[in-house]
């Protein structure tokens, strides 16, 4: 029970990496506030946690909205009297298209959710985290924008992911005196539903032709990773086992970014 007695807020907890991390944290003793925009998805995560003996609540919220994120952090902290862990995981791939086709509205939507959403999630958690020395913030970035730049058309997405790494390093130094750790994970191909919500437009016309006949993930002969594997990394960074790690990005991609970057 590595997280016994601790309270965690997980954004994007209704599916994928967020769901896997929330379930694992609960298994390890944390009380978990599940945040997302889909009440049905959050309810399923909540039921799975409670049926396994864990403790959780669901919080409907949009990470790009300041008031909603302020209320979400407050609800988690007030429910159990503290907040120790924030997993800022929610995000979107957005629209992948050439610069000429990408509209300002599409650009802004991706920026607002991925980057501003991370800022708001962390900003409103900080007052509570400062009260718990040894608390931890984990942010989900990506191999895109950090090691990989070959996914042509993913410009807005990659810019937000690169910015999340810079944000992590800035905030890690700012919060070090309060013993709050801040780290960022950079997943590669992971079996989640995020690709299903990605709009790709006419990328064949601008993308450089590259083939990986043996697969893009060297460690697994092309097979993508799982949300549960990423959750194990999140658990490590949230736990006291990572007590001397802050301001650090960690790639979890089976070597994919080394091949594609």
């Amino acid at each position: 029970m590595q997280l016994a007695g601790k309270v965690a807020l997980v954004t994007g907890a209704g599916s994928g990496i967020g769901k896997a991390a929330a379930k694992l944290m609960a298994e390890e003793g944390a009380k978990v506030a599940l945040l997302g925009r889909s009440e049905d998805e959050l309810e399923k995560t909540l039921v799975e946690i409670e049926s396994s003996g864990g403790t959780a609540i669901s919080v409907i919220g949009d990470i790009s909205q300041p008031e909603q994120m302020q209320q979400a952090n407050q609800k988690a902290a007030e429910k159990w009297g503290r907040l120790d862990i924030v997993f800022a995981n929610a995000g979107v791939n957005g629209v992948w298209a050439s610069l000429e086709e990408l509209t300002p509205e599409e650009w802004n939507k991706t920026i607002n959710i991925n980057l501003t959403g991370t800022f708001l999630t962390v900003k409103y958690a900080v007052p509570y985290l400062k009260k718990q020395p040894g608390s931890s913030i984990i942010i989900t970035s990506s191999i895109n924008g950090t090691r990989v730049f070959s996914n042509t058309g993913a410009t807005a997405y990659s810019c937000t992911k690169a910015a999340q790494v810079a944000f992590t390093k800035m905030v890690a130094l700012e919060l070090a005196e309060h013993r709050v750790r801040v780290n960022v994970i950079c997943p590669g191909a992971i079996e989640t539903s995020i690709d299903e919500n990605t709009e790709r437009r006419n990328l064949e016309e601008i993308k450089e032709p590259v083939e990986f006949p043996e697969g893009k993930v060297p460690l697994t002969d092309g097979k993508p990773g799982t949300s549960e594997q990423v959750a194990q990394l999140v658990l490590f960074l949230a736990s006291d086992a990572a007590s001397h790690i802050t301001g650090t990005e960690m790639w979890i991609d089976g070597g994919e970014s080394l091949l594609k970057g």
Side-chain angles (χ1 to χ4, degrees):
M1 303 293 280
Q2 298 180 58
L3 305 181
K6 295 187 177 183
V7 174
L9 171 68
V10 178
T11 68
S15 63
I17 293 170
K19 180 176 182 176
K23 291 173 63 177
L24 184 57
M25 287 184 189
E27 288 174 14
E28 290 294 330
K31 298 177 176 66
V32 186
L34 312 166
L35 186 137
R37 293 186 296 178
S38 170
E39 187 173 357
D40 290 341
E41 286 187 342
L42 290 181
E43 184 62 25
K44 291 177 183 177
T45 305
L46 180 65
V47 169
E48 290 179 31
I49 288 175
E50 291 182 338
S51 65
S52 298
T55 302
I57 59 170
S58 62
V59 182
I60 303 298
D62 182 340
I63 62 170
S64 68
Q65 300 302 313
E67 185 176 336
Q68 293 184 34
M69 291 315 299
Q70 186 174 23
Q71 292 174 351
N73 278 283
Q74 183 178 355
K75 183 174 181 179
E78 290 183 350
K79 172 68 175 179
W80 294 300
R82 60 190 294 164
L83 184 61
D84 305 87
I85 301 160
V86 171
F87 183 28
N89 165 74
V92 296
N93 274 359
V95 175
W96 291 15
S98 71
L99 287 181
E100 292 176 284
E101 288 195 21
L102 189 67
T103 69
E105 293 76 20
E106 290 164 345
W107 168 274
N108 288 335
K109 182 177 180 180
T110 302
I111 300 293
N112 287 340
I113 294 174
N114 290 357
L115 184 54
T116 304
T118 296
F119 161 68
L120 295 174
T121 301
V122 174
K123 171 183 171 61
Y124 291 117
V126 164
Y128 304 106
L129 296 171
K130 283 182 177 180
K131 297 177 182 179
Q132 307 297 332
S135 56
S136 176
I137 298 167
I138 304 107
I139 295 167
T140 299
S141 177
S142 171
I143 60 172
N144 290 288
T146 58
R147 273 184 173 173
V148 171
F149 300 90
S150 54
N151 280 322
T152 308
T155 308
Y157 177 77
S158 295
C159 285
T160 63
K161 298 292 123 178
Q164 284 176 316
V165 173
F167 177 86
T168 295
K169 294 175 185 290
M170 293 295 296
V171 176
L173 193 56
E174 179 179 334
L175 298 180
E177 66 174 298
H178 303 286
R179 306 298 183 264
V180 178
R181 297 179 294 107
V182 190
N183 293 290
V184 57
I185 63 172
C186 302
I190 305 295
E191 292 178 336
T192 71
S193 61
I194 192 169
D195 275 348
E196 299 172 11
N197 302 317
T198 306
E199 182 181 343
R200 294 175 170 85
R201 290 206 302 262
N202 303 322
L203 297 180
E204 297 79 10
E205 299 176 8
I206 60 172
K207 190 174 179 66
E208 289 292 330
V210 180
E211 290 187 15
F212 299 94
E214 302 301 324
K216 299 178 182 179
V217 187
L219 196 61
T220 58
D221 295 326
K223 184 179 179 181
T226 66
S227 296
E228 288 73 22
Q229 288 174 311
V230 181
Q232 290 288 345
L233 175 57
V234 175
L235 173 63
F236 167 69
L237 292 173
S239 74
D240 292 339
S243 61
H244 203 53
I245 301 175
T246 194
T248 300
E249 63 268 56
M250 292 191 178
W251 286 272
I252 178 166
D253 66 351
E256 177 186 359
S257 61
L258 299 177
L259 179 67
K260 293 172 63 177

